[in-house]
Amino acid sequence: MTSYRPDALIASDISAYLALHQSKSLLRFITCGSVDDGKSTLIGRLLYDSKQIFEDQLSALESDSKRVGTQGQEIDFALLVDGLAAEREQGITIDVAYRFFATEKRKFIVADTPGHEQYTRNMVTGASTADLAVILIDARKGVLTQTKRHSYLAHLLGIRHIVLAVNKMDLVGYDSAVFEQIVADYRAFADSIGIADFTPIPLSGFKGDNITALSENTPWFTGPALIDHLESVELDVDKDRAKPFRLPVQWVNRPNLDFRGFAGLIASGSVRPGDRVRILPSGRTTSVARIVGMGGDRQEAVAGESVTITLADEVDCSRGDVIAAADAPPQAADQFQATIVWMDQTELLPGRGYWLKLGTQTVTATIQPPKHLVCINTMAELSAKTLQLNDIGVAEVYTDRAIVFEPYMDSHDLGGFILIDKATNATVAAGMLNFALRRAQNVHWQAVEINREAHASQKGQQPRLLWFTGLSGSGKSTIANLVEKRLHALGKHSFLLDGDNIRHGLNKDLGFTDQDRVENIRRVAEVAKLMTDAGLIVLTAFISPFRAERELARAMMPEGEFFEIFIDTPLETAEARDVKGLYKKARAGEIAHFTGITSPFEAPLAPEIRVDTTRETPEEAAERIVETIMGTWSPVI
């Protein structure tokens, strides 16, 4: 076997060597397909045949192949990629493995993605930045469910170039009939999901057939070898440069008082000094004064380049805004239809607030119950109330403010997003914006002259939202009622929203599943926000078991007007009271999803006020709350 030999130019002229490689185009591609189709072996073979293996790597590969390889005494190329111990022990890929290699014509970054369904989310991660997908099929097995899943995801993520690599042809005697049948089967599926074109190649990753050169074992195949195709395929960056100019602002560069620039990676198009641009979502127009790059001022910058732009006018522009061509700007909206790939063990809770990150923009988003799920096997649309691990669904997405976007099929940078759980900071989903909902364009805030401040001034008070939370039987309603009595005695205008009372009217259609609890609190928060807009001091007494929803309510309020009041009562104390007999029924299995018994309660981490009911009477707690909120003493009623 031949190990890596450095280019002679490195020793003679390193600058020339670096310049040569810098001018090469870069292709990002993934290998995917069902488990055991030979993805890692193929990449290992590509690295070996392109002489990217160092001597120490080659020695270790030979040793590891004898110890944990799956090819007997022969070299197991998959071990070049499968780096995790668990991968080597099982002979499978679990995580996404990235490898870099280069040929005389092009540079490559290849992602080896897992084949198991449970690791579909890892495949999505690898595919999100790929220009091309190599879909592997075991010639002995044909088109499998996971082959279809990965093909659908690759198409969904906008990968235009598909290579159908029919692998392990050596195990079927290089039979052309087997190859043609697999290609026909795959073409029928590809047509059904909208893949218009793909390049089929018969190969053997283990033997090296049709990888770097056409093989004598397949004289009936006249197409390109795999590496030839990878070197010649058209890159999307060329098309991006022909699109209208877009620069998502990543950073406002202000090194001194005389310079204010806006830095970011150009997503599409090109720009020159003097070009008219529009700042979105504000819509303000101006022109480009300078383009500053690593080497100083430039006369032009194009898609794929990171630059700093200065503007001719002092305009409000910050991280998350988009600088775009003035005559062809992208859209801005706060309601969308999106396709979502759920990537977390915890299911989607419709109505819960998640962080939505799109480019340099980060907003709070709520996801509505899915319109449907996509069945990969049949492409049927299935009804569902939520999304679970590896589900692919279509749903409406609402954001708390307008974001700048383009449909994903037009722009991956301004159309692709991720969802992040606010409590755990885990990435729970990847999504693609399909279009803005028409109502998002037709519904606008109506300007009113009697605003929030006017209502508060009329009542002579500062609006507040006092959010009481705690277990059932903790004393929330009792203490909240005592607080309102004291506020009333002080001449304050208030209103108490109680959990049981709300469920007789506004929320009578909701049950007690986690999803219904989320929606219950969302509605209450919206009502409470409207009441504070009217200048009222609003008290809410709800279990509100999840931190995410309490934080959603907090985010709706102006700074300093939300007070989380944790009525901290031990479960055994609350259960001993059991005024309504609910704990007894829950213990008997008569009530499902009961907080503290069969459903979790996420205690506040840093409430404004904490009431320990084992040390403080309701009257004492109410007095302390009023003094804290109002900053004044109130008489005991």
Side-chain angles (χ1 to χ4, degrees):
M1 295 182 69
T2 305
S3 61
Y4 172 75
R5 294 184 181 278
D7 193 312
L9 189 60
I10 295 178
S12 60
D13 191 343
I14 185 63
S15 297
Y17 174 81
L18 293 175
L20 176 65
H21 279 267
Q22 187 176 15
S23 64
K24 291 181 181 179
S25 60
L26 172 65
L27 175 71
R28 296 174 181 267
F29 71 97
I30 62 168
T31 58
C32 52
S34 191
V35 64
D36 241 1
D37 280 349
K39 298 178 292 298
S40 299
T41 299
L42 174 63
I43 295 177
R45 189 81 203 196
L46 279 172
L47 295 174
Y48 170 68
D49 286 349
S50 57
K51 297 181 175 56
Q52 301 291 312
I53 306 174
F54 293 91
E55 288 185 2
D56 58 337
Q57 288 178 307
L58 181 57
S59 177
L61 176 62
E62 292 172 340
S63 175
D64 288 345
S65 295
K66 295 176 182 178
R67 183 169 55 87
V68 295
T70 60
Q71 304 297 336
Q73 294 302 305
E74 297 191 64
I75 294 295
D76 186 352
F77 293 104
L79 297 180
L80 286 169
V81 185
D82 289 339
L84 300 176
E87 293 177 325
R88 294 188 168 210
E89 290 168 2
Q90 300 177 59
I92 64 171
T93 299
I94 296 175
D95 201 1
V96 180
Y98 293 92
R99 291 293 183 270
F100 172 86
F101 69 99
T103 65
E104 292 184 0
K105 297 181 180 179
R106 179 170 278 176
K107 296 178 292 186
F108 302 92
I109 296 178
V110 54
D112 182 23
T113 62
H116 284 74
E117 181 177 351
Q118 69 191 92
Y119 301 121
T120 298
R121 54 187 170 178
N122 296 19
M123 179 269 172
V124 172
T125 301
S128 62
T129 58
D131 303 302
L132 179 146
V134 178
I135 308 289
L136 274 89
I137 293 180
D138 188 327
R140 301 168 301 169
K141 301 175 182 178
V143 178
L144 302 176
T145 299
Q146 198 67 341
T147 310
K148 296 178 180 180
R149 177 182 292 274
H150 283 184
S151 298
Y152 178 78
L153 286 170
H155 178 62
L156 187 67
L157 291 166
I159 298 178
R160 295 191 302 112
H161 305 291
I162 303 291
V163 173
L164 182 67
V166 182
N167 194 23
K168 304 186 180 181
M169 287 297 296
D170 54 307
L171 299 182
V172 294
Y174 299 100
D175 189 342
S176 63
V178 172
F179 174 73
E180 294 298 338
Q181 184 59 54
I182 290 175
V183 172
D185 292 343
Y186 185 82
R187 189 177 302 280
F189 170 74
D191 290 342
S192 71
I193 64 173
I195 296 178
D197 190 29
F198 60 90
T199 302
I201 301 176
L203 53 82
S204 170
F206 178 54
K207 298 293 186 180
D209 296 294
N210 295 327
I211 292 181
T212 58
L214 293 179
S215 172
E216 295 179 355
N217 294 318
T218 56
W220 41 266
F221 177 66
T222 58
L226 178 60
I227 197 66
D228 291 337
H229 180 70
L230 296 178
E231 287 179 331
S232 60
V233 71
E234 178 187 11
L235 296 180
D236 288 342
V237 68
D238 299 327
K239 291 194 172 184
D240 288 339
R241 292 177 181 177
K243 296 178 181 178
F245 173 64
R246 308 279 188 263
L247 184 143
V249 177
Q250 184 174 356
W251 177 48
V252 179
N253 187 355
R254 193 74 186 270
N256 55 59
L257 295 176
D258 300 321
F259 187 90
R260 183 166 177 258
F262 306 96
L265 175 69
I266 300 177
S268 64
S270 60
V271 63
R272 291 174 172 270
D275 285 355
R276 295 292 295 174
V277 293
R278 189 180 303 272
I279 312 301
L280 295 166
S282 69
R284 179 75 183 272
T285 58
T286 181
S287 60
V288 175
R290 296 170 59 192
I291 303 172
V292 183
M294 285 291 292
D297 281 19
R298 300 177 53 180
Q299 292 305 305
E300 184 181 29
V302 298
E305 296 181 329
S306 294
V307 295
T308 296
I309 288 178
T310 67
L311 302 175
D313 304 300
E314 289 291 334
V315 297
D316 184 14
C317 183
S318 58
R319 176 179 169 84
D321 289 346
V322 175
I323 303 175
D327 57 352
Q331 305 175 59
D334 60 4
Q335 298 180 29
F336 311 90
Q337 178 174 289
T339 301
I340 299 173
V341 182
W342 197 255
M343 302 164 62
D344 196 58
Q345 296 284 354
T346 303
E347 67 181 22
L348 163 72
L349 285 179
R352 166 165 288 182
Y354 297 92
W355 292 121
L356 183 151
K357 183 171 176 54
L358 186 153
T360 60
Q361 305 171 89
T362 302
V363 296
T364 294
T366 55
I367 316 300
Q368 302 308 297
K371 291 179 176 295
H372 63 262
L373 302 183
V374 177
C375 175
I376 299 299
N377 288 332
T378 64
M379 291 295 107
E381 297 179 355
L382 309 177
S383 61
K385 294 183 178 180
T386 185
L387 294 174
Q388 299 182 344
L389 179 63
N390 293 330
D391 278 348
I392 303 169
V394 174
E396 292 182 357
V397 177
Y398 303 159
T399 57
D400 63 345
R401 60 182 173 84
I403 58 175
V404 182
F405 85 103
E406 290 186 299
Y408 185 80
M409 287 299 102
D410 296 334
S411 171
H412 292 188
D413 295 283
L414 292 179
F417 64 89
I418 59 172
L419 294 176
I420 302 171
D421 187 290
K422 289 187 173 183
T424 64
N425 281 328
T427 299
V428 296
M432 292 130 279
L433 298 179
N434 300 328
F435 54 82
L437 300 180
R438 180 172 296 180
R439 59 177 177 268
Q441 307 298 324
N442 297 334
V443 178
H444 307 277
W445 280 103
Q446 177 63 45
V448 293
E449 295 187 20
I450 308 301
N451 57 18
R452 196 173 200 275
E453 290 70 25
H455 284 297
S457 177
Q458 183 186 52
K459 295 175 176 61
Q461 64 185 33
Q462 181 70 29
R464 295 279 190 270
L465 176 52
L466 313 185
W467 195 279
F468 292 79
T469 180
L471 294 170
S472 176
S474 62
K476 298 182 301 299
S477 297
T478 299
I479 297 174
N481 186 57
L482 289 171
V483 169
E484 188 175 33
K485 288 175 67 177
R486 282 162 170 73
L487 291 173
H488 187 267
L490 289 171
K492 300 302 178 182
H493 301 265
S494 62
F495 195 87
L496 172 59
L497 295 170
D498 183 78
D500 284 352
N501 295 346
I502 288 292
R503 284 187 176 273
H504 283 293
L506 176 66
N507 292 348
K508 67 186 301 182
D509 60 317
L510 299 177
F512 292 90
T513 64
D514 287 353
Q515 179 178 331
D516 283 347
R517 287 177 182 272
V518 168
E519 176 61 14
N520 181 54
I521 298 305
R522 187 196 68 80
R523 293 183 191 179
V524 169
E526 292 284 0
V527 171
K529 172 64 167 58
L530 292 174
M531 287 185 162
T532 58
D533 285 346
L536 296 176
I537 298 173
V538 181
L539 304 86
T540 67
F542 295 82
I543 294 174
S544 52
F546 303 123
R547 294 190 191 102
E549 279 58 66
R550 298 195 297 267
E551 288 305 308
L552 179 66
R554 182 189 294 274
M556 292 181 180
M557 299 296 297
E559 185 73 25
E561 292 189 10
F562 182 90
F563 291 81
E564 186 176 38
I565 303 172
F566 178 29
I567 309 303
D568 190 0
T569 302
L571 176 61
E572 56 271 18
T573 302
E575 189 169 1
R577 295 172 183 170
D578 205 10
V579 179
K580 304 173 185 177
L582 299 178
Y583 283 98
K584 184 178 180 180
K585 291 181 179 179
R587 292 292 186 186
E590 298 175 16
I591 300 178
H593 308 290
F594 191 80
T595 303
I597 305 298
T598 55
S599 187
F601 177 78
E602 299 173 359
L605 299 177
E608 278 73 15
I609 300 174
R610 176 179 174 271
V611 175
D612 184 347
T613 59
T614 64
R615 299 185 178 184
E616 197 172 17
T617 68
E619 289 75 17
E620 291 170 340
E623 186 70 20
R624 182 164 63 89
I625 291 169
V626 171
E627 291 176 358
T628 302
I629 299 303
M630 305 307 300
T632 184
W633 175 85
S634 61
V636 176
I637 304 300

